[in-house]
Amino acid sequence: GLGYSTCAFIGIQVNLISTGTHEQVFEKIVQIPEIVECHHISGKYSLFIKIFTRNNEHLKQIIIEKIQSIPEVTATETFISLEEGFVRQLPV
């Protein structure tokens, strides 16, 4: 959207207490409109998201109020994009 100049990627660690935990977190993540992509990944993090915000302050607000406030989320790591190198489609 217009005025959304900050792009970031966030790794989200989920405390997998039960099999439903991952799904509970995912359901809450889906409801955050600024998040444009969400991947279920292997490794240290359960989810890896791409987010667009108005600025760093807005980004911080969403991380604290909407993501870290989810009880099952144990940790997050944020990577702010300084510049988009390129985006391309796979060759056909």
Side-chain angles (χ1 to χ4, degrees):
L2 213 63
Y4 281 68
S5 56
T6 298
C7 173
F9 299 88
I10 305 172
I12 301 169
Q13 256 181 332
V14 177
N15 183 8
L16 301 169
I17 318 156
S18 68
T19 48
T21 312
H22 200 274
E23 208 49 52
Q24 286 170 335
V25 174
F26 181 73
E27 287 306 314
K28 287 169 186 160
I29 290 297
V30 168
Q31 289 167 37
I32 302 167
E34 290 85 356
I35 297 172
V36 295
E37 276 184 44
C38 179
H39 299 263
H40 297 270
I41 59 164
S42 60
K44 186 178 173 182
Y45 302 106
S46 298
L47 299 170
F48 198 71
I49 65 162
K50 182 179 183 179
I51 184 169
F52 281 99
T53 58
R54 291 187 296 275
N55 48 44
N56 289 359
E57 191 56 41
H58 183 214
L59 174 63
K60 183 181 143 189
Q61 188 187 342
I62 290 174
I63 293 167
I64 295 167
E65 295 175 14
K66 306 259 184 89
I67 302 171
Q68 290 177 349
S69 65
I70 300 169
E72 302 84 4
V73 170
T74 53
T76 62
E77 188 175 355
T78 305
F79 307 87
I80 295 175
S81 171
L82 301 175
E83 183 189 1
E84 186 171 82
F86 67 83
V87 174
R88 68 175 166 207
Q89 300 298 310
L90 278 170
V92 284

